[in-house]
Amino acid sequence: MKIINSMINIHVQSVSLRTVLCLFILSLPSVALSAEEQTPVTPDKIEKQGLPTDKASFSDTLEDKESGVNIKSFNYPLMDFMPNPEPIVLRKANDQHALYFPVSNRIDVTYAELRLKFTNSISLLQDRSQLRIKLNEITVAQLPLRADQPQVDVVIELPAELITSGFNNLTIWVAQHYTLECEDPAAPELWTEIDTFNSELTLTGQLQPIDVMLSQLDQVMGPAIGNPQSYRILMPEQYNEDHIATGALIAESIGLRHFYRSPLFMSATAKKAPFTTETDAVMMNEFSGLDQETLSGSDNVLFGTRDELKPYLSSEILNEIKDAYLGIFPLPSDPRYFVMIVSGTTKEELKRAATALNFTNFPYADAKTSLIKATDIPANSRFGRKRFIKTDRLYTLEELGVETSTVQGAGFHEYELVFDLPADFYAAEDATVNLLLDFSYGARMRDDSILNIRLNDAFERVIALTDPEGAVFKGYDIKIPLRAFNPGRNRIRFEPSLIPSVGGECIAINDRNLQFTLYGTSIIKFPFATSYAGLPDLNLFSRTVFPYRRNGQPEPVTVSVLSNDYDTISATWTLMAKFAQVADGPLMDAEFRFSLPEDDRELIIVSPFNTLDEKIMSSAPIQLDGSSNYAYPVAQQIDGEKVEKGFFVQFPDLFGGNKEEPEAVPFKAHIEQNANPQAHGVAMAFKSPFGQDRSVTLFTAETGQKLHRYMEAIVQPTLWSKLSGDVALWTADPKSISTQMIGKKFYVGNAGLRDKTRFQISQNPWWWIIGVFVLIFLLAWITRVLLHRRFLNRHGRNVRIED
Amino acid sequence: MSQSEATLSEKPEKKGATGLTIVWLFFVICLIVAASLVVDVSAQFWLAGSLIAFLVLARKKCEHGYLRLVYLGVISFLSIRYISWRTFDTLGWENPLDFIPMILLYLAELYAVVLGLLGIFVCIEPINRPETPISSDPEKLPTVDIFITTYNEPYEMIEVTLQAAKQVRYPQHVSIYLLDDGGTQDKLDSKDPEVAITARIRSMSMRKLCQRLKVNYLTRENNNDHKAGNINAALTRTSGDLVVILDSDHVPAVDFLEKTVGHFERDPKLFLVQTPHFFINPDPIEKNLEIFTRMPSENEVFYRMMQKGLDYWNGSLFAGSAAVLRRSCLDEINGFSTTSVTEDAETALDLHSKGFNSLYVSHPLISGLATESFSAFITQRLRWGTGMVQIMLLKNPLFHPGLTLSQRVCYLSNCLYWFFPFARVIFFVAPMMYLLFGLHIYNANTTEILAYTLPHYWASLQLSSFLFQRVRWPFVSLLYETLQSIFSLQGLIKTISNPRAPKFVVTPKGMHLDEDFVSPLATPFYYFFVLQILAFAFGVYRYINYPEEQTLVLLVGFWHVINLLLMLASFGVLAELRQRRAMPRIAASESAILKVHKSRIPCSVENLSTGGASIFTNNLINRMLIPGTNGILEIENKALNKISELIVEIKSVKREQDGRHLGLEFVSTNATQRAEVVGLVHGNSERWFRYWEHQPQKVGKLEGIILLVYWGLKHSKMHLKYLSNKIWQFIYKPFSTLILKPDTVKEFN
């Protein structure tokens, strides 16, 4: 164990010289990285560095195929293993937090360490307060929590032998006390906060040669530590738009297998092997014609029709390609990586094979190759794991993955209900989601025992568990306004907090009565909601890929890749993989073009600046040619709601008054500049000039290379989750993204006229109010005329109206 | 201009009118659509706030003409908006127990909104008819029969009415008939000897009275079809062109025919001229709350506003008395209609559907008597309600052939109103459902209630205030409806289940109430009151123990408190005050001279009745002005156009600093004297008109609530006293028999 920034005494469990060596080696790529930032990055460089993903990195620390030394190091911040990037706060006298990290069977972990950076309360009593690290339920380290040294940065070596392939459990446990006497175990000064951004887990080991079957795809392709996170997708030398589409399907399938972690892609054409003596020596392998020189260092996918792949593959394999074909083989030149072959005798078969890869849960053959005879995909098919729900339906919690289960013991517990709402739902303000909870709890709990209900981490409701005899509830009704829910992913947490009725140091505490059961028969009932949303909205896009999937239905989409260079294509595939992860399925029928579409379709453009034509840019919220005046994000802006004014003060606004007032929130800094924002990747969303109520989402950068680089950065969770507004500019720095809403909103959805009107009126009530008054005045006037006519007809002029 | 020319010239105008009507309909649809839009609550707040601000700020500017329609349009919009919101957004229910009361409350609200909109339609252009003089050539004038219907009313009352009928001025032939249904052969031959004897005595006295006054006495074999049958029997035996219908307590003024017959001359298709029912005594509510003359009478809404509005739509309603009808029109429908117990409204409906016209003269031409006791009041209202519901069910004006669209709407409004007991009871019970049982019968949160419900209810009160500001105080209708609802509901349900079953019940008139007492009808109110108090207590409990519902409890509690105040005020009404004077005194301000022996003492008449008068004189010297002294009151009798000299006896003297109030009794020595007294007291319609036009103090909404509190507290005290006596007796009696000696008990009792 190495102490970096602390003077505390550590009870060392094991110290190894290897650690010092490895840390020294680890420091090398960071030097390389800082140097790299000053010069343009080439694909080769990225490849060699292992494509740093956000803060996570993996690198060939010592790799020499010839010498056989084959050590790789993988470094991840702890927040990568958490659903939400947030610090871990451990409270009260006794608390713990468990993290799970997956490890691939491709790596033989030889060394593991945890760099833990945390801050503890200055009220803690050193003799009794401690932090314990458990790896797979075995304690591997203990640290005292000291009041005089509250900030700790410590490196702990983890026993590599405890790390297994699959998920590993890393638990951080604390005992926190402020006195030797009787104390309040829930005292607010009992806390320790783990900095999950700067705390890191590092695994170092040797990549093993693999000999994998198709049935093992999930093991070798996924987010587990040890699996390469970058892929090289090889096209035939003569590639066209269809190849981009097929490559996208493959990228999407890989993206789906990587769950939350975004894989990176490099596109290239497969090269024929030079016919040398050495090459002749390997002529006998599956890839006899393929130049494997540049294929090492990442996994590879080679696709094309049989005819297109003829130059690269052995005749044996070619003979096997009689239909849609999937095959996986170790890379002959470096068996630590694999080459997957996706092929078919025709384009259709090729597409079928690529499509089949997207069925991530499908039990593939336990063989190296397989022919896909047919794929039958329903129009609105879902591929993965998300629980898409429909409004105007009710579901049991069981159906949404929360089975009946009991939690027991003192403290906090949690059930989590996760589901995905349509991206564009719009409901009346009073529409509520009803939770009809079935639950029971034990007797004689303290009367501050509660069940907190949180929606997307915001506290919503609490149920007091106060009946001393315990209670069973059936259909306990909780209403939450539908508008409190997010489009897309939502999390409802049920947090029973069970407190024993007695406490204190000198009293035996029975916690067997502290039980809580949430039944899977509980119901969540959604009200009717229609589909209507304001666009452009990059945030909505980043969370739900709206409007490319509307109301669960895929829309006609064109992906325009206006430059056919490898980098732009790589950027496109990287984006499509992210897209599949968010949408939980590939864009099955997307059309890929090297030009702009001519028909009414949703549009994604991935292209460098210079390929963007005037028609597109005239609709874009900002111009990129440098000659125009555009809003440049000098600082993070908040597009606040307009400040509400008084009843009468607001009136003149309608008629153009109150001009002298500044805008409620200073918003745009206009900068005239004669150069493009070279240092940025740019994402823009705007109304398409090609179709009615269609959108364009544009990802661009100065060059294809930069575009590829920035695309790799933006798909990482830290940046991707920050996309919002209609313009985003970012750099490779995970904290550097600026977003703005510059263009005008437009609204899409299949909401009826009533709902659309409701939406617009709710946004602009004054126009409605004026309209109502005008209508009443007009109606009164016509009524008056009609009444007067009738009056004269019947009564003549002698009779008078009542005064 | 020839007829064809006239038709030609009318065509383009008609075309224009049709086009305009289509545009009007289009705008109405637009308005309904705009009102039905569901928006965020904040937008609704802005809308409701703007509309209410308009209603408050523009009230004075909008009382007449075009802006009046705008004002009514804004209120209609708020109501339509509210009911649209209620319909589409608040009827979700989770518990079957909630469902039925929730739907009932919704229906009650829907009913109230529909009734409000119908009221706006009816009162959109109330009209005042000009006087239409009768032809100067008596020969051209139609002949008139005056029918005075009687059943069991007191002799004195009928005498006055007959006397007054005789004094009605009309240059053409007038025949007066007393239609006595109390002296039918069936009654005279009744198997019940008591009934038979009473009928015979009464019949004999009536015949003698008619003989003495030289008017016609008519009776018939049986009492079939009650009042309608009585009139129909008379129609077959009389021949006047026009028929005046008078109840026996409706005393006509001398100019009754002069002010009504002219309209028949102008319009040959006119079947009815209705005049107001003007009451000179308080109804039981006014009497018991001691608000007679200080507050507009309850029926003024109908006679000073609704009838004028109905007249605009050619839908004036026949009110059973104080009206003139054309015999030829009645012949078209074979006399009065007899399907329902409100023969008047039904007859008007049948005649309207034949294409005949009606109109309303907004000038009191009769002086009548309101019911004296609460039970009589309820009997009368039950009959009206039952009859109108019968018409609704048996001759539904929406589908009755021959009516114009506007007449259908008018009749619908008239009939629907009488379903109010359903709504009123539901409004009473609904807040208790929440406070007592926690039933969620109104599926809306507090913010929505503030945004939708409060503006609507405020606008409803404003509508009532706007349309009827001169003729009704706020919350008074609620009080009247509350009092009737509890009793009417049962009758209403019976009528709905069997519309042909209800029988005509004669309203008792001319009663003496010798002492204060609690109405025997009070018992159901006690049950309601106990429930309300319980609900109030539960409300307090709910407020304390359910913090999340506090705002809702406050809102519902406010509603409940209004109901509670109505109940308290009802207790005040149910505590009946005595009424000894059968002939009520009428306020007057006329100069007169009291001749006592040889002295001529100038005085002013303060009030009058057929029994006597109250005068004030500043003569403090004359020693003869003492009780028991006889004298002659010399007073101008405008109705008879002469100076009447009426023999009087001083009955009471009340000395003031500046003079003396004398109570005089008319000592009628002969028929002429009595006739002059009737002419003096009842003959001058201008006195009624002046009285009618007198503007009582206007009362705002807040004042209305304060008055409710005041009435409730002041007049329910008697109830408390009565109840405490009862309870004391209940406790004391058994105790006293055990402990006290028998003679003490006797003494106590």
PDB file of all heavy atoms in Angstrom, chain A residues 429-430 483 647 758 777 783 787 800 802-803, chain B residues 24 38 40-41 46 66 126 312 448 470:
ATOM      1  N   GLU A 429     -52.033  18.664 -16.354  1.00  0.00           N
ATOM      2  CA  GLU A 429     -51.284  18.948 -15.136  1.00  0.00           C
ATOM      3  C   GLU A 429     -51.760  18.092 -13.965  1.00  0.00           C
ATOM      4  O   GLU A 429     -51.000  17.721 -13.090  1.00  0.00           O
ATOM      5  CB  GLU A 429     -51.465  20.425 -14.792  1.00  0.00           C
ATOM      6  CG  GLU A 429     -50.429  20.966 -13.865  1.00  0.00           C
ATOM      7  CD  GLU A 429     -50.666  22.446 -13.624  1.00  0.00           C
ATOM      8  OE1 GLU A 429     -51.803  22.906 -13.789  1.00  0.00           O
ATOM      9  OE2 GLU A 429     -49.698  23.125 -13.268  1.00  0.00           O
ATOM     10  N   ASP A 430     -53.035  17.784 -13.978  1.00  0.00           N
ATOM     11  CA  ASP A 430     -53.570  17.048 -12.834  1.00  0.00           C
ATOM     12  C   ASP A 430     -53.479  15.536 -13.021  1.00  0.00           C
ATOM     13  O   ASP A 430     -53.955  14.788 -12.176  1.00  0.00           O
ATOM     14  CB  ASP A 430     -55.028  17.452 -12.575  1.00  0.00           C
ATOM     15  CG  ASP A 430     -55.908  17.197 -13.782  1.00  0.00           C
ATOM     16  OD1 ASP A 430     -55.344  16.929 -14.855  1.00  0.00           O
ATOM     17  OD2 ASP A 430     -57.139  17.261 -13.651  1.00  0.00           O
ATOM     18  N   ARG A 483     -46.279  14.776 -14.333  1.00  0.00           N
ATOM     19  CA  ARG A 483     -45.265  15.717 -14.818  1.00  0.00           C
ATOM     20  C   ARG A 483     -44.001  15.706 -13.967  1.00  0.00           C
ATOM     21  O   ARG A 483     -43.000  16.300 -14.328  1.00  0.00           O
ATOM     22  CB  ARG A 483     -45.843  17.126 -14.875  1.00  0.00           C
ATOM     23  CG  ARG A 483     -46.852  17.275 -15.992  1.00  0.00           C
ATOM     24  CD  ARG A 483     -47.172  18.707 -16.239  1.00  0.00           C
ATOM     25  NE  ARG A 483     -48.196  18.846 -17.251  1.00  0.00           N
ATOM     26  CZ  ARG A 483     -48.714  19.994 -17.622  1.00  0.00           C
ATOM     27  NH1 ARG A 483     -48.311  21.104 -17.047  1.00  0.00           N
ATOM     28  NH2 ARG A 483     -49.639  20.045 -18.550  1.00  0.00           N
ATOM     29  N   PHE A 647     -49.754  41.027 -12.488  1.00  0.00           N
ATOM     30  CA  PHE A 647     -50.911  40.840 -13.368  1.00  0.00           C
ATOM     31  C   PHE A 647     -50.966  41.913 -14.450  1.00  0.00           C
ATOM     32  O   PHE A 647     -51.160  41.641 -15.617  1.00  0.00           O
ATOM     33  CB  PHE A 647     -52.168  40.891 -12.488  1.00  0.00           C
ATOM     34  CG  PHE A 647     -53.425  40.550 -13.218  1.00  0.00           C
ATOM     35  CD1 PHE A 647     -53.806  39.231 -13.365  1.00  0.00           C
ATOM     36  CD2 PHE A 647     -54.220  41.539 -13.743  1.00  0.00           C
ATOM     37  CE1 PHE A 647     -54.970  38.904 -14.031  1.00  0.00           C
ATOM     38  CE2 PHE A 647     -55.385  41.224 -14.404  1.00  0.00           C
ATOM     39  CZ  PHE A 647     -55.762  39.910 -14.553  1.00  0.00           C
ATOM     40  N   ARG A 758     -54.066  22.893 -25.672  1.00  0.00           N
ATOM     41  CA  ARG A 758     -53.848  22.956 -24.220  1.00  0.00           C
ATOM     42  C   ARG A 758     -52.391  23.318 -23.916  1.00  0.00           C
ATOM     43  O   ARG A 758     -52.114  24.181 -23.093  1.00  0.00           O
ATOM     44  CB  ARG A 758     -54.170  21.590 -23.617  1.00  0.00           C
ATOM     45  CG  ARG A 758     -53.710  21.431 -22.191  1.00  0.00           C
ATOM     46  CD  ARG A 758     -53.687  19.999 -21.780  1.00  0.00           C
ATOM     47  NE  ARG A 758     -55.007  19.433 -21.716  1.00  0.00           N
ATOM     48  CZ  ARG A 758     -55.252  18.170 -21.365  1.00  0.00           C
ATOM     49  NH1 ARG A 758     -54.256  17.361 -21.076  1.00  0.00           N
ATOM     50  NH2 ARG A 758     -56.465  17.709 -21.324  1.00  0.00           N
ATOM     51  N   PHE A 777     -67.125  39.354 -26.620  1.00  0.00           N
ATOM     52  CA  PHE A 777     -67.599  40.655 -27.118  1.00  0.00           C
ATOM     53  C   PHE A 777     -68.286  40.503 -28.473  1.00  0.00           C
ATOM     54  O   PHE A 777     -69.330  41.087 -28.726  1.00  0.00           O
ATOM     55  CB  PHE A 777     -66.422  41.649 -27.212  1.00  0.00           C
ATOM     56  CG  PHE A 777     -66.195  42.393 -25.934  1.00  0.00           C
ATOM     57  CD1 PHE A 777     -65.496  41.816 -24.883  1.00  0.00           C
ATOM     58  CD2 PHE A 777     -66.695  43.675 -25.751  1.00  0.00           C
ATOM     59  CE1 PHE A 777     -65.294  42.483 -23.679  1.00  0.00           C
ATOM     60  CE2 PHE A 777     -66.502  44.357 -24.550  1.00  0.00           C
ATOM     61  CZ  PHE A 777     -65.794  43.764 -23.518  1.00  0.00           C
ATOM     62  N   THR A 783     -75.471  38.699 -30.672  1.00  0.00           N
ATOM     63  CA  THR A 783     -76.679  38.415 -29.895  1.00  0.00           C
ATOM     64  C   THR A 783     -77.538  39.666 -29.804  1.00  0.00           C
ATOM     65  O   THR A 783     -78.758  39.613 -29.970  1.00  0.00           O
ATOM     66  CB  THR A 783     -76.289  37.954 -28.476  1.00  0.00           C
ATOM     67  OG1 THR A 783     -75.343  36.906 -28.583  1.00  0.00           O
ATOM     68  CG2 THR A 783     -77.496  37.447 -27.709  1.00  0.00           C
ATOM     69  N   LEU A 787     -81.255  39.922 -31.064  1.00  0.00           N
ATOM     70  CA  LEU A 787     -82.321  40.195 -30.098  1.00  0.00           C
ATOM     71  C   LEU A 787     -83.092  41.449 -30.501  1.00  0.00           C
ATOM     72  O   LEU A 787     -84.314  41.504 -30.391  1.00  0.00           O
ATOM     73  CB  LEU A 787     -81.723  40.387 -28.697  1.00  0.00           C
ATOM     74  CG  LEU A 787     -81.231  39.122 -27.993  1.00  0.00           C
ATOM     75  CD1 LEU A 787     -80.533  39.482 -26.694  1.00  0.00           C
ATOM     76  CD2 LEU A 787     -82.394  38.190 -27.688  1.00  0.00           C
ATOM     77  N   ARG A 800     -90.495  48.877 -24.188  1.00  0.00           N
ATOM     78  CA  ARG A 800     -89.087  49.188 -23.926  1.00  0.00           C
ATOM     79  C   ARG A 800     -88.434  48.061 -23.100  1.00  0.00           C
ATOM     80  O   ARG A 800     -89.109  47.345 -22.357  1.00  0.00           O
ATOM     81  CB  ARG A 800     -88.937  50.526 -23.220  1.00  0.00           C
ATOM     82  CG  ARG A 800     -89.532  50.578 -21.840  1.00  0.00           C
ATOM     83  CD  ARG A 800     -89.465  51.988 -21.274  1.00  0.00           C
ATOM     84  NE  ARG A 800     -90.265  52.096 -20.078  1.00  0.00           N
ATOM     85  CZ  ARG A 800     -89.845  51.745 -18.867  1.00  0.00           C
ATOM     86  NH1 ARG A 800     -88.636  51.278 -18.701  1.00  0.00           N
ATOM     87  NH2 ARG A 800     -90.636  51.867 -17.820  1.00  0.00           N
ATOM     88  N   GLU A 802     -86.267  46.541 -20.234  1.00  0.00           N
ATOM     89  CA  GLU A 802     -86.123  46.851 -18.802  1.00  0.00           C
ATOM     90  C   GLU A 802     -84.831  47.607 -18.539  1.00  0.00           C
ATOM     91  O   GLU A 802     -83.766  47.249 -19.045  1.00  0.00           O
ATOM     92  CB  GLU A 802     -86.093  45.538 -18.016  1.00  0.00           C
ATOM     93  CG  GLU A 802     -85.714  45.668 -16.582  1.00  0.00           C
ATOM     94  CD  GLU A 802     -86.867  46.129 -15.723  1.00  0.00           C
ATOM     95  OE1 GLU A 802     -87.864  46.632 -16.270  1.00  0.00           O
ATOM     96  OE2 GLU A 802     -86.763  46.001 -14.521  1.00  0.00           O
ATOM     97  N   ASP A 803     -84.885  48.656 -17.775  1.00  0.00           N
ATOM     98  CA  ASP A 803     -83.669  49.377 -17.382  1.00  0.00           C
ATOM     99  C   ASP A 803     -83.116  48.774 -16.115  1.00  0.00           C
ATOM    100  O   ASP A 803     -83.839  48.379 -15.242  1.00  0.00           O
ATOM    101  CB  ASP A 803     -84.009  50.848 -17.151  1.00  0.00           C
ATOM    102  CG  ASP A 803     -84.310  51.537 -18.473  1.00  0.00           C
ATOM    103  OD1 ASP A 803     -83.804  51.068 -19.497  1.00  0.00           O
ATOM    104  OD2 ASP A 803     -85.068  52.525 -18.468  1.00  0.00           O
TER     105      ASP A 803
ATOM    106  N   TRP B  24     -73.753  33.353 -35.316  1.00  0.00           N
ATOM    107  CA  TRP B  24     -73.934  33.323 -33.856  1.00  0.00           C
ATOM    108  C   TRP B  24     -73.671  31.919 -33.316  1.00  0.00           C
ATOM    109  O   TRP B  24     -72.942  31.732 -32.350  1.00  0.00           O
ATOM    110  CB  TRP B  24     -75.360  33.778 -33.526  1.00  0.00           C
ATOM    111  CG  TRP B  24     -75.649  33.827 -32.060  1.00  0.00           C
ATOM    112  CD1 TRP B  24     -75.383  34.848 -31.205  1.00  0.00           C
ATOM    113  CD2 TRP B  24     -76.259  32.795 -31.268  1.00  0.00           C
ATOM    114  NE1 TRP B  24     -75.789  34.519 -29.929  1.00  0.00           N
ATOM    115  CE2 TRP B  24     -76.334  33.272 -29.940  1.00  0.00           C
ATOM    116  CE3 TRP B  24     -76.760  31.523 -31.539  1.00  0.00           C
ATOM    117  CZ2 TRP B  24     -76.884  32.524 -28.897  1.00  0.00           C
ATOM    118  CZ3 TRP B  24     -77.300  30.774 -30.495  1.00  0.00           C
ATOM    119  CH2 TRP B  24     -77.364  31.269 -29.207  1.00  0.00           C
ATOM    120  N   VAL B  38     -58.680  22.315 -21.535  1.00  0.00           N
ATOM    121  CA  VAL B  38     -58.043  22.064 -20.243  1.00  0.00           C
ATOM    122  C   VAL B  38     -56.614  22.580 -20.321  1.00  0.00           C
ATOM    123  O   VAL B  38     -55.885  22.245 -21.243  1.00  0.00           O
ATOM    124  CB  VAL B  38     -58.041  20.563 -19.914  1.00  0.00           C
ATOM    125  CG1 VAL B  38     -57.358  20.318 -18.587  1.00  0.00           C
ATOM    126  CG2 VAL B  38     -59.462  20.058 -19.857  1.00  0.00           C
ATOM    127  N   ASP B  40     -53.077  24.237 -17.938  1.00  0.00           N
ATOM    128  CA  ASP B  40     -52.417  24.179 -16.638  1.00  0.00           C
ATOM    129  C   ASP B  40     -53.130  25.116 -15.669  1.00  0.00           C
ATOM    130  O   ASP B  40     -53.704  26.125 -16.077  1.00  0.00           O
ATOM    131  CB  ASP B  40     -50.953  24.598 -16.770  1.00  0.00           C
ATOM    132  CG  ASP B  40     -50.144  23.523 -17.472  1.00  0.00           C
ATOM    133  OD1 ASP B  40     -50.746  22.503 -17.838  1.00  0.00           O
ATOM    134  OD2 ASP B  40     -48.934  23.723 -17.666  1.00  0.00           O
ATOM    135  N   VAL B  41     -53.032  24.776 -14.415  1.00  0.00           N
ATOM    136  CA  VAL B  41     -53.786  25.539 -13.417  1.00  0.00           C
ATOM    137  C   VAL B  41     -53.357  27.007 -13.410  1.00  0.00           C
ATOM    138  O   VAL B  41     -54.180  27.901 -13.222  1.00  0.00           O
ATOM    139  CB  VAL B  41     -53.608  24.915 -12.018  1.00  0.00           C
ATOM    140  CG1 VAL B  41     -54.307  25.749 -10.969  1.00  0.00           C
ATOM    141  CG2 VAL B  41     -54.207  23.529 -12.005  1.00  0.00           C
ATOM    142  N   TRP B  46     -54.989  32.708 -14.300  1.00  0.00           N
ATOM    143  CA  TRP B  46     -54.952  33.979 -15.036  1.00  0.00           C
ATOM    144  C   TRP B  46     -56.304  34.248 -15.699  1.00  0.00           C
ATOM    145  O   TRP B  46     -56.804  35.366 -15.695  1.00  0.00           O
ATOM    146  CB  TRP B  46     -53.851  33.960 -16.097  1.00  0.00           C
ATOM    147  CG  TRP B  46     -52.475  34.183 -15.536  1.00  0.00           C
ATOM    148  CD1 TRP B  46     -51.451  33.285 -15.503  1.00  0.00           C
ATOM    149  CD2 TRP B  46     -51.978  35.368 -14.909  1.00  0.00           C
ATOM    150  NE1 TRP B  46     -50.357  33.840 -14.892  1.00  0.00           N
ATOM    151  CE2 TRP B  46     -50.647  35.114 -14.520  1.00  0.00           C
ATOM    152  CE3 TRP B  46     -52.525  36.613 -14.637  1.00  0.00           C
ATOM    153  CZ2 TRP B  46     -49.865  36.062 -13.888  1.00  0.00           C
ATOM    154  CZ3 TRP B  46     -51.734  37.563 -13.998  1.00  0.00           C
ATOM    155  CH2 TRP B  46     -50.415  37.275 -13.624  1.00  0.00           C
ATOM    156  N   TYR B  66     -75.665  46.653 -24.654  1.00  0.00           N
ATOM    157  CA  TYR B  66     -74.729  45.684 -25.217  1.00  0.00           C
ATOM    158  C   TYR B  66     -73.809  45.093 -24.152  1.00  0.00           C
ATOM    159  O   TYR B  66     -73.575  43.882 -24.088  1.00  0.00           O
ATOM    160  CB  TYR B  66     -73.936  46.395 -26.307  1.00  0.00           C
ATOM    161  CG  TYR B  66     -72.690  45.688 -26.761  1.00  0.00           C
ATOM    162  CD1 TYR B  66     -72.767  44.413 -27.330  1.00  0.00           C
ATOM    163  CD2 TYR B  66     -71.447  46.298 -26.641  1.00  0.00           C
ATOM    164  CE1 TYR B  66     -71.620  43.769 -27.748  1.00  0.00           C
ATOM    165  CE2 TYR B  66     -70.305  45.656 -27.068  1.00  0.00           C
ATOM    166  CZ  TYR B  66     -70.399  44.395 -27.606  1.00  0.00           C
ATOM    167  OH  TYR B  66     -69.266  43.752 -28.020  1.00  0.00           O
ATOM    168  N   PRO B 126     -85.473  41.586 -20.393  1.00  0.00           N
ATOM    169  CA  PRO B 126     -86.773  41.793 -19.742  1.00  0.00           C
ATOM    170  C   PRO B 126     -87.422  43.081 -20.258  1.00  0.00           C
ATOM    171  O   PRO B 126     -86.729  44.083 -20.454  1.00  0.00           O
ATOM    172  CB  PRO B 126     -86.402  41.902 -18.257  1.00  0.00           C
ATOM    173  CG  PRO B 126     -84.967  42.188 -18.222  1.00  0.00           C
ATOM    174  CD  PRO B 126     -84.350  41.709 -19.475  1.00  0.00           C
ATOM    175  N   TYR B 312     -90.608  38.679 -23.134  1.00  0.00           N
ATOM    176  CA  TYR B 312     -89.805  38.943 -24.344  1.00  0.00           C
ATOM    177  C   TYR B 312     -89.893  37.771 -25.318  1.00  0.00           C
ATOM    178  O   TYR B 312     -89.958  37.937 -26.529  1.00  0.00           O
ATOM    179  CB  TYR B 312     -88.343  39.202 -23.962  1.00  0.00           C
ATOM    180  CG  TYR B 312     -87.475  39.424 -25.162  1.00  0.00           C
ATOM    181  CD1 TYR B 312     -87.348  40.693 -25.717  1.00  0.00           C
ATOM    182  CD2 TYR B 312     -86.812  38.354 -25.775  1.00  0.00           C
ATOM    183  CE1 TYR B 312     -86.587  40.890 -26.851  1.00  0.00           C
ATOM    184  CE2 TYR B 312     -86.054  38.553 -26.907  1.00  0.00           C
ATOM    185  CZ  TYR B 312     -85.934  39.832 -27.442  1.00  0.00           C
ATOM    186  OH  TYR B 312     -85.185  40.021 -28.572  1.00  0.00           O
ATOM    187  N   GLU B 448     -56.796  23.385  -7.723  1.00  0.00           N
ATOM    188  CA  GLU B 448     -57.818  23.361  -8.775  1.00  0.00           C
ATOM    189  C   GLU B 448     -59.137  23.918  -8.255  1.00  0.00           C
ATOM    190  O   GLU B 448     -59.844  24.625  -8.980  1.00  0.00           O
ATOM    191  CB  GLU B 448     -58.012  21.930  -9.265  1.00  0.00           C
ATOM    192  CG  GLU B 448     -56.841  21.435 -10.091  1.00  0.00           C
ATOM    193  CD  GLU B 448     -56.887  19.948 -10.341  1.00  0.00           C
ATOM    194  OE1 GLU B 448     -57.484  19.222  -9.524  1.00  0.00           O
ATOM    195  OE2 GLU B 448     -56.326  19.518 -11.349  1.00  0.00           O
ATOM    196  N   ARG B 470     -82.233  44.108  -7.681  1.00  0.00           N
ATOM    197  CA  ARG B 470     -83.241  44.940  -7.031  1.00  0.00           C
ATOM    198  C   ARG B 470     -84.332  44.106  -6.369  1.00  0.00           C
ATOM    199  O   ARG B 470     -85.191  44.631  -5.690  1.00  0.00           O
ATOM    200  CB  ARG B 470     -83.863  45.877  -8.063  1.00  0.00           C
ATOM    201  CG  ARG B 470     -82.986  47.088  -8.314  1.00  0.00           C
ATOM    202  CD  ARG B 470     -83.610  48.024  -9.295  1.00  0.00           C
ATOM    203  NE  ARG B 470     -83.584  47.460 -10.644  1.00  0.00           N
ATOM    204  CZ  ARG B 470     -84.039  48.089 -11.720  1.00  0.00           C
ATOM    205  NH1 ARG B 470     -84.598  49.264 -11.607  1.00  0.00           N
ATOM    206  NH2 ARG B 470     -83.965  47.544 -12.905  1.00  0.00           N
TER     207      ARG B 470
END
